[in-house]
Amino acid sequence: PGGKQLEPLKYAKVAVEASVSRRKAESCILGTTSLLYHCLVKGVSVAFVLRDVGVLLIEGSMVQMRFYLDFLEKVTGERIQDSATLKALQQLDMVLSRAVPVASLSFTGRVIIFPK
């Protein structure tokens, strides 16, 4: 829908960015996607920790993204010091402290965390 074409993942480009061999990049990507697939099929909760951004939590049919406060400040270009704004973000479950254990975000407390 929308007329967008799928493009194959460019393993060589990923390898250069990660400073690893193409074979290593491809192996890691395929291993990660395979593990993710099996977790989703079995209903196991997973969390992707996105460095300097936040955590993407997938639990059953629920998908939730929580952002680190400093990332939101970079995106908006200003410090979020207003307590009303901060409280609103917290009530929307959008803000995440780096000190919070990722497992505590899940209903069960059990989650597979990517990357490892």
Short mmCIF file of all heavy atoms in Angstrom, two decimals, residues 17 25 31 34 39 45 47 51 64 74 77 82 85 89 103 105 108 114:
data_model
loop_
_atom_site.label_atom_id
_atom_site.label_comp_id
_atom_site.label_asym_id
_atom_site.label_seq_id
_atom_site.Cartn_x
_atom_site.Cartn_y
_atom_site.Cartn_z
N GLU A 17 29.65 0.51 8.83
CA GLU A 17 29.22 1.36 9.95
C GLU A 17 29.54 0.75 11.30
O GLU A 17 29.87 1.45 12.25
CB GLU A 17 27.72 1.65 9.85
CG GLU A 17 27.33 2.53 8.69
CD GLU A 17 27.83 3.96 8.84
OE1 GLU A 17 27.84 4.49 9.97
OE2 GLU A 17 28.21 4.54 7.81
N ALA A 25 28.31 -9.07 10.06
CA ALA A 25 27.11 -8.23 10.08
C ALA A 25 25.89 -9.04 9.65
O ALA A 25 24.84 -9.00 10.31
CB ALA A 25 27.30 -7.02 9.17
N GLY A 31 20.66 -13.68 12.77
CA GLY A 31 20.45 -14.31 14.08
C GLY A 31 19.46 -13.53 14.93
O GLY A 31 18.57 -14.11 15.57
N SER A 34 15.91 -13.87 13.46
CA SER A 34 15.41 -15.22 13.71
C SER A 34 14.94 -15.36 15.16
O SER A 34 13.86 -15.88 15.43
CB SER A 34 16.50 -16.25 13.40
OG SER A 34 16.06 -17.54 13.73
N CYS A 39 10.57 -15.47 19.23
CA CYS A 39 9.98 -14.88 20.44
C CYS A 39 8.55 -14.41 20.18
O CYS A 39 7.65 -14.66 20.99
CB CYS A 39 10.82 -13.70 20.91
SG CYS A 39 12.41 -14.15 21.62
N SER A 45 7.89 -11.78 25.56
CA SER A 45 8.10 -10.34 25.52
C SER A 45 9.53 -10.02 25.11
O SER A 45 10.47 -10.69 25.55
CB SER A 45 7.83 -9.72 26.89
OG SER A 45 6.50 -9.97 27.27
N ALA A 47 12.36 -6.63 24.23
CA ALA A 47 12.64 -5.20 24.33
C ALA A 47 13.89 -4.90 23.52
O ALA A 47 14.89 -5.59 23.65
CB ALA A 47 12.84 -4.79 25.79
N ARG A 51 20.20 2.58 21.91
CA ARG A 51 21.16 3.44 22.60
C ARG A 51 20.86 4.90 22.34
O ARG A 51 20.66 5.32 21.20
CB ARG A 51 22.57 3.09 22.13
CG ARG A 51 23.64 3.89 22.83
CD ARG A 51 25.00 3.56 22.32
NE ARG A 51 25.06 3.83 20.88
CZ ARG A 51 25.98 3.33 20.09
NH1 ARG A 51 26.90 2.54 20.54
NH2 ARG A 51 25.97 3.62 18.81
N GLN A 64 5.12 -0.70 22.57
CA GLN A 64 5.23 0.59 23.25
C GLN A 64 6.66 1.10 23.13
O GLN A 64 7.61 0.34 23.31
CB GLN A 64 4.85 0.43 24.72
CG GLN A 64 4.84 1.72 25.49
CD GLN A 64 4.40 1.51 26.93
OE1 GLN A 64 4.70 0.49 27.53
NE2 GLN A 64 3.71 2.48 27.47
N LYS A 74 16.81 16.59 22.90
CA LYS A 74 17.56 16.79 21.66
C LYS A 74 16.62 16.99 20.49
O LYS A 74 16.85 17.84 19.62
CB LYS A 74 18.48 15.60 21.37
CG LYS A 74 19.71 15.54 22.22
CD LYS A 74 20.53 14.30 21.87
CE LYS A 74 21.59 14.04 22.89
NZ LYS A 74 22.30 12.78 22.66
N GLY A 77 14.94 20.34 20.86
CA GLY A 77 15.90 21.44 20.83
C GLY A 77 15.87 22.30 22.07
O GLY A 77 16.44 23.39 22.09
N ASP A 82 9.77 22.34 32.39
CA ASP A 82 8.41 22.63 32.84
C ASP A 82 7.82 21.37 33.47
O ASP A 82 7.69 20.34 32.82
CB ASP A 82 7.58 23.08 31.64
CG ASP A 82 6.12 23.35 32.00
OD1 ASP A 82 5.86 23.73 33.16
OD2 ASP A 82 5.26 23.17 31.13
N THR A 85 4.79 19.78 31.67
CA THR A 85 5.14 19.03 30.45
C THR A 85 5.73 17.68 30.81
O THR A 85 5.36 16.66 30.24
CB THR A 85 6.14 19.83 29.60
OG1 THR A 85 5.57 21.09 29.27
CG2 THR A 85 6.50 19.07 28.33
N LEU A 89 4.20 13.93 29.95
CA LEU A 89 4.97 12.89 29.26
C LEU A 89 5.03 11.60 30.08
O LEU A 89 4.93 10.50 29.55
CB LEU A 89 6.38 13.38 28.94
CG LEU A 89 6.49 14.47 27.88
CD1 LEU A 89 7.91 15.03 27.83
CD2 LEU A 89 6.08 13.94 26.52
N ALA A 103 13.40 -4.98 32.41
CA ALA A 103 12.43 -6.03 32.76
C ALA A 103 11.24 -5.47 33.54
O ALA A 103 10.14 -6.01 33.46
CB ALA A 103 13.11 -7.13 33.56
N LEU A 105 9.58 -2.95 32.88
CA LEU A 105 8.61 -2.37 31.96
C LEU A 105 7.56 -3.38 31.51
O LEU A 105 6.48 -3.02 31.07
CB LEU A 105 9.32 -1.81 30.72
CG LEU A 105 10.37 -0.74 30.96
CD1 LEU A 105 11.06 -0.37 29.65
CD2 LEU A 105 9.76 0.48 31.61
N THR A 108 5.03 -9.08 32.96
CA THR A 108 5.47 -10.31 33.62
C THR A 108 6.80 -10.15 34.34
O THR A 108 7.15 -10.96 35.18
CB THR A 108 5.64 -11.44 32.60
OG1 THR A 108 6.68 -11.08 31.68
CG2 THR A 108 4.35 -11.72 31.85
N PHE A 114 17.21 -7.01 23.58
CA PHE A 114 18.10 -6.87 22.42
C PHE A 114 18.78 -5.52 22.54
O PHE A 114 18.15 -4.56 22.94
CB PHE A 114 17.29 -6.89 21.12
CG PHE A 114 16.68 -8.20 20.79
CD1 PHE A 114 15.45 -8.57 21.30
CD2 PHE A 114 17.33 -9.09 19.94
CE1 PHE A 114 14.87 -9.79 20.97
CE2 PHE A 114 16.75 -10.30 19.61
CZ PHE A 114 15.52 -10.64 20.13
#
